[in-house]
Every structure is written in structure tokens, then in C-alpha cells.
């Protein structure tokens, strides 16, 4: 494997957080980003983006959103446009999270259209892929991942505009994780699928692991050579745990 890219640890707060709590977590993330070589990003709910942006501004920590619309503007009540996310300071947007795929029936083509919108706005897309428990049990993990990589990525993906998050659906919020050897194999598989999709540049696209990453399993999971960081849900709401995860990533 060639020189690996700088790891990224992104915190997905999901529909959690408060104004007061967000300020504390943002200050802690800004401080963390200043002392680690891992890139740090916080992805709070929409109403907390602006207050978190105000704290992260001028620091090394990045801001991300949890979704965007496929159109740049228009009559889409309740949705949020990528250009506005960029304007208020977002660097990233999480797209195709399994909770959105399941709860909002987002398909791969819809995810792909959202990724294109994110890119048009100058955002980096953190594109989530992962198999469900039944797909895993039926031996369909690789087929599922290959299809998601093929269908969720528009043409033009590169290491600056794309991050892949491998998130086994059964591991999210469950406290269960795959064994590090499985993570290694599936990240290598995803890397090969990415190379097939976008060519040799894929080697520098970061592939994060996500799904029940905690302070106590971070060393084992982040120590897998094919893992370029983490997408963290629950543990990102605890500044100490989030920091421990970032510190478990390899040095660049
Ligand atoms: C996630 O929501 O992307 C996630 C990985 O959640 P958790 O860390 O809580 O499993």
C-alpha cells in the first residue's frame, strides 16, 4: 500500500445535542484538532451548524452537515441546500447514512444526486456504505458494497471531494463491531471497488470505519492499516471518548 492519506475522524451527532452542549463539544474539538494530526470534523444537526461554525472558525477543526438536498434551491420545504451549508462554513456533508437510507428510503441514485449537489457547492461528501445484518448472514456483503460504490458515486470522485465511510448497518449503535481482520478485508475490498470505479486516484480516497467505535475499541479498529479514520456516532457526544478515538489513529 502506498503512503496513506491523513486520517479523518468525523462526529455524527445525529438528532442529538443542545446549544449549550454543542458549544462545549465544539471547543473541545477545536482544542483536539490543534494537537492531533488527525483531521477532526463535527457534524451536528442543522440548527447547531451556525453556532458550532462560530466556535470552529479559525481553528483546525472542520464542520460537516448530516444531509443535503440534490437541488441547489427551490420549493423543498424542510430540506437544506448544499450551497447554504457551504456558505455557513461546512467542509463536509454526510450522505447515504444507513439511517437515511432506511428511514427516508434513500436509494443509491438519490445518494448519487446528493453527492453531485455537494460537489457543485464545494463540499466534500462522506458517503456511507454498508451491509445489513441479513445481507451479511446471506453472504451478500461484498455484492452490496460493490453495488453501493458503483451506484452512489457520480463520475468525478477524487480524494479531495470524496470520503467513503464503511458502516456495517448491524454495527451502528449496537455496541457490536466486526473483527479487525474483517474490517481489514472489507476495506481492502472497498478500495479495489473504488479503483475499479474511479481509477488509481482511489488509492488516496479515505475509507473510514463507522459503527460502535468507542474509546475502548478505537485502538484495535483504528490500528487496521486499511482504515483511514472513523465516522463516530454516539461516542462523538462525549468529548473524552471522541478525543481518544482521534488519538488512536495512525500518525501521518
Ligand atoms: C453513525 O451513526 O454513523 C455511527 C457510526 O453511529 P455509532 O458510532 O453510534 O454506532
Amino acid at each position: 500500500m502506498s503512503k496513506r492519506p491523513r486520517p479523518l475522524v468525523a462526529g455524527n451527532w445525529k438528532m442529538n445535542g443542545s446549544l449549550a452542549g454543542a458549544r462545549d463539544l465544539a471547543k473541545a474539538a477545536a482544542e483536539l484538532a490543534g494537537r492531533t494530526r488527525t483531521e477532526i470534523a463535527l457534524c451536528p444537526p442543522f440548527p447547531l451548524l451556525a453556532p458550532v461554525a462560530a466556535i470552529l472558525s479559525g481553528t483546525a477543526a472542520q464542520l460537516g452537515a448530516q444531509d443535503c438536498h440534490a437541488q441547489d434551491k427551490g420549493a423543498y420545504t424542510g430540506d437544506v441546500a448544499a450551497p447554504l451549508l457551504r456558505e455557513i462554513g461546512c467542509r463536509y456533508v454526510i450522505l447515504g447514512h444507513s439511517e437515511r437510507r432506511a428511514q427516508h428510503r434513500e436509494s443509491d441514485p438519490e445518494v448519487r444526486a446528493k453527492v453531485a449537489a455537494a460537489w457543485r457547492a464545494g463540499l466534500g461528501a462522506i458517503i456511507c456504505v454498508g451491509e445489513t445484518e441479513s445481507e451479511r448472514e446471506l453472504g451478500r456483503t461484498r455484492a452490496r458494497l460493490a453495488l453501493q460504490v458503483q451506484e452512489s458515486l457520480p463520475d468525478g470522485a477524487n480524494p479531495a471531494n470524496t470520503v467513503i465511510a464503511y458502516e456495517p448497518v448491524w454495527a451502528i449503535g449496537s455496541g457490536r463491531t466486526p473483527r479487525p481482520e474483517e474490517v481489514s478485508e472489507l476495506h481492502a475490498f472497498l478500495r479495489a471497488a473504488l479503483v475499479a470505479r474511479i481509477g488509481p486516484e482511489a488509492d488516496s480516497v479515505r475509507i473510514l470505519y463507522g459503527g460502535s467505535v468507542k474509546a475502548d475499541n478505537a485502538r484495535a479498529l483504528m490500528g487496521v492499516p486499511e482504515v483511514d479514520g472513523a465516522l463516530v456516532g454516539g461516542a462523538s457526544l462525549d468529548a473524552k471518548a471522541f478525543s481518544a478515538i482521534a488519538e488512536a489513529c495512525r500518525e501521518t
Side-chain angles (χ1 to χ4, degrees):
M1 207 183 295
S2 57
K3 187 177 177 301
R4 303 308 310 136
R6 182 183 180 207
L8 166 67
V9 170
N12 173 16
W13 294 3
K14 312 192 189 204
M15 201 176 72
N16 296 301
S18 64
L19 194 50
R23 288 197 183 109
D24 289 343
L25 288 170
K27 284 180 201 154
E31 191 268 324
L32 172 65
R35 69 181 151 81
T36 170
R37 300 191 59 187
T38 295
E39 184 180 4
I40 303 298
L42 294 184
C43 305
F46 291 129
L48 296 177
L49 285 170
V52 170
I55 294 167
L56 300 188
S57 168
T59 78
Q62 302 289 350
L63 185 67
Q66 298 175 18
D67 185 38
C68 72
H69 199 274
Q71 300 298 323
D72 298 342
K73 62 177 182 174
Y76 302 102
T77 302
D79 284 313
V80 177
L84 181 59
L85 296 175
R86 185 72 186 131
E87 191 184 341
I88 65 160
C90 287
R91 159 79 182 91
Y92 293 109
V93 58
I94 299 170
L95 293 171
H97 190 282
S98 65
E99 285 153 15
R100 295 210 58 91
R101 289 177 186 269
Q103 296 159 11
H104 298 266
R105 296 197 177 80
E106 280 187 15
S107 64
D108 288 331
E110 279 169 293
V111 173
R112 184 169 71 232
K114 289 182 173 198
V115 173
W119 291 352
R120 282 196 302 279
L123 295 167
I126 301 176
I127 305 169
C128 302
V129 299
E131 80 286 2
T132 62
E133 182 134 50
S134 62
E135 285 165 341
R136 175 179 157 92
E137 281 163 3
L138 291 167
R140 295 194 183 140
T141 297
R142 285 165 192 247
R144 184 77 191 108
L145 297 182
L147 195 67
Q148 284 177 325
V149 166
Q150 187 60 35
E151 305 272 295
S152 304
L153 254 77
D155 291 341
N158 64 47
N161 66 18
T162 299
V163 174
I164 302 293
Y166 169 52
E167 300 209 304
V169 178
W170 53 271
I172 295 179
S174 66
R176 296 157 59 207
T177 63
R179 285 175 294 108
E181 307 83 73
E182 287 177 88
V183 173
S184 168
E185 275 170 34
L186 291 169
H187 276 234
F189 176 79
L190 275 169
R191 176 80 56 199
L194 260 185
V195 170
R197 177 74 182 85
I198 69 173
E201 263 203 307
D203 205 34
S204 302
V205 171
R206 288 174 291 188
I207 304 182
L208 314 184
Y209 169 77
S212 294
V213 182
K214 309 284 178 208
D216 59 5
N217 61 18
R219 289 225 168 266
L221 291 165
M222 297 302 108
V224 173
E226 291 82 2
V227 169
D228 302 316
L231 181 55
V232 185
S236 69
L237 296 161
D238 174 339
K240 261 190 160 171
F242 192 58
S243 158
I245 294 165
E247 281 161 3
C249 292
R250 63 162 179 269
E251 286 288 312
T252 42

